[in-house]
């Protein structure tokens, strides 16, 4: 089934690689500086952006993926950030998951990625409270973890490499596969494909993903665009 895709506005950063829609607005994280901005979802101004509501710095690095839990942000640190900027003492050597205060940027929790390697996306599970879904790229899998003791609950094999944004819905989980320009909905038990959304050129390339009213939002780290896919999720 073809879905309508619409370019909405540009992110406030050059390499947005994680987004999360909340009641206050849209959170966007920058892969270069690891800063996170809350912006309005509105008609773009003459410069192609919307108003910034607030902004924080973080101790994440090479950030690729973001989610939201209550008043906190979860950030996926995909290793060190010295590809983009000067290295910091807080940079992750391999994939790491950080929980940060959305008002101050203070790191509240920090965990190593299960199995090591890199990660490009994560999602707090609002249906199974207290758990996160993480893209575990080393094994081309999606891993659900229990936050309390950081134990693995489920591991789903992914159909393609370079998995990015993740969105959990009642009857499945959507995962972006950037290289294939496809967003695949997977069964929560066996990992079988339930649905897919093709994002063909010339639309922006999908990276980060978030659910929103009337569909899905995604960001493109290569062009800076935020786009909407109109669909039932």
């Amino acid at each position: 089934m073809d879905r309508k895709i619409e370019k909405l506005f540009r992110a406030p950063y050059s390499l947005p690689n994680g987004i999360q829609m909340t009641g206050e607005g849209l959170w966007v994280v920058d892969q270069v500086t690891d800063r996170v901005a809350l912006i309005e979802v509105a008609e773009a101004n003459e410069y192609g952006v919307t108003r910034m509501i607030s902004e924080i710095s973080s101790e994440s690095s090479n950030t690729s993926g973001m989610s939201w839990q209550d008043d906190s942000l979860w950030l996926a640190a995909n290793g060190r950030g010295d590809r983009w900027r000067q290295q910091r003492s807080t940079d992750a050597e391999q994939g790491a998951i950080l929980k940060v205060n959305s008002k101050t940027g203070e790191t509240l929790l920090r965990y190593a990625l299960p199995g090591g390697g890199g990660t490009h996306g994560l999602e707090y599970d609002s249906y199974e409270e207290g758990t996160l879904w993480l893209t575990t790229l080393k094994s081309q899998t999606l891993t659900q973890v229990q936050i309390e003791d950081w134990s693995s609950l489920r591991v789903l094999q992914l159909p393609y490499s370079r998995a990015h944004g993740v969105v959990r819905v009642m009857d499945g989980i959507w995962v972006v596969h950037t290289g294939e320009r496809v967003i695949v909905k997977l069964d929560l038990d066996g990992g079988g494909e339930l649905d897919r959304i093709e994002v063909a050129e010339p639309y922006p390339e999908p990276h980060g993903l978030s659910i929103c009213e009337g569909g899905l939002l995604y960001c493109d780290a290569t062009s800076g665009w935020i786009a909407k896919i109109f669909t039932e999720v």
Side-chain angles (χ1 to χ4, degrees), residues 6 31 48 87 111 129 146 180 190:
E6 181 181 334
Q31 188 170 1
Q87 188 175 346
Y111 299 101
E129 294 284 349
Q146 184 79 44
E180 285 71 24

Side-chain angles (χ1 to χ4, degrees), residues 131-146:
T131 70
L132 285 169
W133 290 89
L134 317 171
T135 58
T136 34
L137 302 180
K138 185 178 178 180
S139 55
Q140 196 176 310
T141 54
L142 184 69
T143 301
Q144 183 188 25
V145 296
Q146 184 79 44

Side-chain angles (χ1 to χ4, degrees), residues 4-223:
K4 177 185 175 183
I5 302 174
E6 181 181 334
K7 292 164 64 176
L8 298 181
F9 45 79
R10 292 178 60 85
Y13 305 121
S14 58
L15 268 73
N17 213 352
I19 58 173
Q20 181 64 58
M21 190 68 198
T22 70
E24 297 177 297
L26 180 68
W27 287 96
V28 183
V29 66
D30 182 33
Q31 188 170 1
V32 176
T33 65
D34 306 293
R35 296 183 68 84
V36 192
L38 178 65
I39 63 173
E40 291 182 348
V41 178
E43 186 175 347
N45 62 26
E46 64 270 28
Y47 296 101
V49 298
T50 64
R51 179 175 171 270
M52 184 183 294
I53 301 168
S54 64
E55 186 186 30
I56 58 171
S57 59
S58 78
E59 293 181 332
S60 186
S61 54
N62 195 25
T63 310
S64 181
M66 177 169 55
S67 192
W68 173 263
Q69 177 194 0
D70 300 327
D71 290 327
S72 300
L73 293 162
W74 288 95
L75 302 178
N78 187 34
R80 294 177 359 186
D82 54 355
R83 177 183 180 184
W84 317 105
R85 50 159 174 78
Q86 291 294 317
Q87 188 175 346
R88 302 170 185 154
S89 61
T90 55
D91 280 7
E93 289 298 320
Q94 296 192 64
I97 307 301
L98 285 71
K99 184 180 184 180
V100 306
N101 186 305
S102 65
K103 304 298 183 187
T104 66
E106 175 190 4
T107 300
L108 305 174
L109 296 170
R110 186 183 187 107
Y111 299 101
L113 185 73
T119 182
H120 285 169
L122 79 167
E123 171 81 334
Y124 181 78
D125 194 324
S126 58
Y127 295 91
E128 297 179 52
E129 294 284 349
T131 70
L132 285 169
W133 290 89
L134 317 171
T135 58
T136 34
L137 302 180
K138 185 178 178 180
S139 55
Q140 196 176 310
T141 54
L142 184 69
T143 301
Q144 183 188 25
V145 296
Q146 184 79 44
I147 296 169
E148 185 177 24
D149 60 3
W150 208 241
S151 59
S152 296
L153 301 178
R154 276 185 282 195
V155 178
L156 303 181
Q157 194 67 41
L158 293 173
Y160 307 108
S161 61
R162 205 181 169 199
H164 272 72
V166 182
V167 164
R168 167 75 151 97
V169 292
M170 183 174 64
D171 61 342
I173 192 159
W174 291 93
V175 182
V176 171
H177 292 280
T178 300
E180 285 71 24
R181 282 182 159 265
V182 65
I183 307 170
V184 180
K185 184 179 182 181
L186 302 175
D187 177 73
L188 291 166
D189 295 320
E193 183 176 321
L194 302 175
D195 196 359
R196 66 168 48 210
I197 301 171
E198 306 279 352
V199 184
E201 294 187 69
Y203 293 114
E205 187 177 76
H207 289 248
L209 189 71
S210 177
I211 198 166
C212 68
E213 184 178 355
L216 297 164
L217 294 177
Y218 74 86
C219 62
D220 179 5
T222 60
S223 70

